[in-house]
Amino acid sequence: MKWMYLLMSIAGGVAIGIQAIVNGGLGKKVGTIEASFISFFIGTIALLVTMLCFGKGNLFAINEVPKWQLIGGLLGAFYVFILVMSVPKIGVTATFFSIIAGQLLISAIIDHFGLLGGQTYPLNIKKAIAILLMFGSIYLYNQK
Protein backbone atom coordinates (compact mmCIF):
# COMPACT_ATOMS: atom_id res chain seq x y z
CA MET A 1 0.00 0.00 0.00
CA LYS A 2 2.93 2.35 0.68
CA TRP A 3 3.92 2.23 -3.02
CA MET A 4 0.51 3.63 -3.97
CA TYR A 5 1.16 6.77 -1.91
CA LEU A 6 4.65 7.09 -3.39
CA LEU A 7 3.17 6.89 -6.90
CA MET A 8 0.44 9.39 -6.01
CA SER A 9 3.14 11.73 -4.66
CA ILE A 10 5.11 11.41 -7.89
CA ALA A 11 1.93 12.22 -9.84
CA GLY A 12 1.42 15.26 -7.61
CA GLY A 13 4.98 16.34 -8.36
CA VAL A 14 4.36 15.96 -12.09
CA ALA A 15 1.21 18.07 -11.77
CA ILE A 16 3.10 20.79 -9.89
CA GLY A 17 5.85 20.78 -12.52
CA ILE A 18 3.28 21.31 -15.25
CA GLN A 19 1.47 23.91 -13.12
CA ALA A 20 4.70 25.89 -12.81
CA ILE A 21 5.18 26.46 -16.52
CA VAL A 22 1.46 26.99 -17.13
CA ASN A 23 1.22 29.60 -14.36
CA GLY A 24 4.51 31.19 -15.40
CA GLY A 25 3.15 31.73 -18.92
CA LEU A 26 -0.12 33.03 -17.52
CA GLY A 27 1.82 35.46 -15.33
CA LYS A 28 3.62 36.89 -18.37
CA LYS A 29 0.26 37.69 -19.97
CA VAL A 30 -1.84 38.90 -17.02
CA GLY A 31 0.66 39.76 -14.27
CA THR A 32 2.18 37.82 -11.38
CA ILE A 33 -0.40 38.52 -8.69
CA GLU A 34 -3.25 38.26 -11.18
CA ALA A 35 -2.04 34.85 -12.40
CA SER A 36 -1.73 33.64 -8.82
CA PHE A 37 -5.29 34.79 -8.14
CA ILE A 38 -6.66 33.15 -11.30
CA SER A 39 -4.91 29.89 -10.42
CA PHE A 40 -6.34 29.85 -6.90
CA PHE A 41 -9.78 30.96 -8.05
CA ILE A 42 -10.06 28.13 -10.59
CA GLY A 43 -8.69 25.67 -8.04
CA THR A 44 -11.21 26.90 -5.47
CA ILE A 45 -14.08 26.34 -7.88
CA ALA A 46 -12.80 22.83 -8.68
CA LEU A 47 -12.51 22.00 -4.97
CA LEU A 48 -15.97 23.42 -4.26
CA VAL A 49 -17.54 21.19 -6.90
CA THR A 50 -15.53 18.18 -5.68
CA MET A 51 -16.53 18.88 -2.07
CA LEU A 52 -20.20 19.21 -2.96
CA CYS A 53 -20.13 15.94 -4.92
CA PHE A 54 -17.86 13.78 -2.76
CA GLY A 55 -17.20 15.57 0.54
CA LYS A 56 -17.92 13.65 3.71
CA GLY A 57 -16.37 15.95 6.28
CA ASN A 58 -17.80 18.83 8.27
CA LEU A 59 -16.88 22.21 6.81
CA PHE A 60 -18.31 23.92 9.90
CA ALA A 61 -15.71 22.22 12.11
CA ILE A 62 -13.45 25.09 11.02
CA ASN A 63 -14.41 26.81 14.28
CA GLU A 64 -12.98 23.90 16.28
CA VAL A 65 -9.47 23.78 14.82
CA PRO A 66 -6.49 25.76 16.13
CA LYS A 67 -6.36 29.02 14.17
CA TRP A 68 -2.75 28.45 13.07
CA GLN A 69 -3.98 25.47 11.01
CA LEU A 70 -5.84 27.91 8.75
CA ILE A 71 -2.67 29.40 7.23
CA GLY A 72 -2.37 26.61 4.64
CA GLY A 73 -4.18 28.69 2.05
CA LEU A 74 -1.84 31.63 2.64
CA LEU A 75 1.19 29.38 2.31
CA GLY A 76 -0.26 27.90 -0.90
CA ALA A 77 -0.88 31.37 -2.32
CA PHE A 78 2.70 32.37 -1.44
CA TYR A 79 3.98 29.21 -3.14
CA VAL A 80 2.01 29.83 -6.35
CA PHE A 81 3.14 33.48 -6.36
CA ILE A 82 6.78 32.38 -6.06
CA LEU A 83 6.30 29.91 -8.94
CA VAL A 84 4.69 32.50 -11.19
CA MET A 85 7.46 34.98 -10.41
CA SER A 86 10.47 32.60 -10.55
CA VAL A 87 9.79 30.23 -13.46
CA PRO A 88 9.97 32.89 -16.21
CA LYS A 89 13.23 34.25 -14.72
CA ILE A 90 15.20 31.08 -13.87
CA GLY A 91 13.23 28.22 -15.47
CA VAL A 92 11.24 25.33 -14.08
CA THR A 93 14.20 23.16 -13.10
CA ALA A 94 16.14 25.81 -11.16
CA THR A 95 12.92 26.90 -9.46
CA PHE A 96 12.12 23.35 -8.39
CA PHE A 97 15.66 22.53 -7.27
CA SER A 98 15.31 25.47 -4.89
CA ILE A 99 11.74 24.68 -3.85
CA ILE A 100 12.55 21.05 -3.16
CA ALA A 101 15.66 21.98 -1.18
CA GLY A 102 13.57 24.35 0.94
CA GLN A 103 10.90 21.67 1.39
CA LEU A 104 13.47 19.09 2.45
CA LEU A 105 15.14 21.45 4.88
CA ILE A 106 11.96 22.50 6.69
CA SER A 107 10.55 18.96 6.50
CA ALA A 108 13.65 17.54 8.17
CA ILE A 109 13.39 20.15 10.93
CA ILE A 110 9.66 19.45 11.42
CA ASP A 111 10.24 15.68 11.45
CA HIS A 112 13.25 15.84 13.77
CA PHE A 113 11.50 17.90 16.42
CA GLY A 114 7.93 16.67 15.76
CA LEU A 115 6.82 20.26 15.21
CA LEU A 116 3.24 21.36 14.46
CA GLY A 117 1.78 18.14 15.82
CA GLY A 118 3.84 15.81 13.60
CA GLN A 119 5.46 12.55 14.54
CA THR A 120 9.18 12.52 15.36
CA TYR A 121 11.54 11.11 12.74
CA PRO A 122 15.08 11.89 13.94
CA LEU A 123 17.60 13.49 11.60
CA ASN A 124 20.78 11.48 11.27
CA ILE A 125 24.08 12.15 9.53
CA LYS A 126 23.03 10.44 6.27
CA LYS A 127 19.86 12.52 6.04
CA ALA A 128 21.80 15.72 6.83
CA ILE A 129 24.35 14.91 4.11
CA ALA A 130 21.52 14.26 1.62
CA ILE A 131 20.08 17.72 2.36
CA LEU A 132 23.50 19.36 2.01
CA LEU A 133 23.97 17.58 -1.32
CA MET A 134 20.64 18.97 -2.49
CA PHE A 135 21.84 22.50 -1.72
CA GLY A 136 25.10 21.66 -3.50
CA SER A 137 23.08 20.59 -6.53
CA ILE A 138 21.44 24.03 -6.67
CA TYR A 139 24.89 25.60 -6.79
CA LEU A 140 26.14 23.20 -9.48
CA TYR A 141 23.01 23.45 -11.59
CA ASN A 142 23.15 27.23 -11.69
CA GLN A 143 26.83 27.51 -12.57
CA LYS A 144 27.55 28.91 -16.03
Side-chain angles (χ1 to χ4, degrees):
M1 185 61 97
K2 183 178 179 180
W3 63 270
M4 183 177 76
Y5 293 105
L6 293 171
L7 291 175
M8 287 177 10
S9 297
I10 291 169
V14 168
I16 289 173
I18 294 167
Q19 177 197 33
I21 194 67
V22 168
N23 284 348
L26 181 63
K28 285 184 190 177
K29 301 254 194 252
V30 302
T32 303
I33 295 172
E34 293 79 3
S36 301
F37 173 78
I38 290 167
S39 178
F40 261 79
F41 182 72
I42 292 170
T44 299
I45 292 169
L47 285 172
L48 175 64
V49 170
T50 303
M51 181 187 69
L52 292 173
C53 293
F54 304 107
K56 294 183 173 131
N58 179 6
L59 191 60
F60 298 106
I62 190 171
N63 295 323
E64 300 169 16
V65 301
K67 298 307 173 221
W68 65 267
Q69 289 181 345
L70 301 177
I71 67 168
L74 292 174
L75 294 170
F78 176 72
Y79 169 74
V80 169
F81 177 76
I82 294 300
L83 281 179
V84 173
M85 189 171 51
S86 298
V87 167
K89 303 288 187 208
I90 62 174
V92 177
T93 307
T95 299
F96 274 100
F97 260 116
S98 301
I99 286 171
I100 292 167
Q103 287 174 329
L104 290 173
L105 178 63
I106 194 61
S107 298
I109 293 168
I110 290 169
D111 278 352
H112 183 75
F113 294 106
L115 300 176
L116 304 172
Q119 247 182 296
T120 302
Y121 298 93
L123 184 64
N124 60 32
I125 191 69
K126 283 200 248 182
K127 292 176 184 178
I129 290 170
I131 293 168
L132 289 174
L133 288 171
M134 186 68 187
F135 279 94
S137 71
I138 293 170
Y139 174 78
L140 291 174
Y141 189 83
N142 288 290
Q143 287 298 298
K144 303 251 181 215

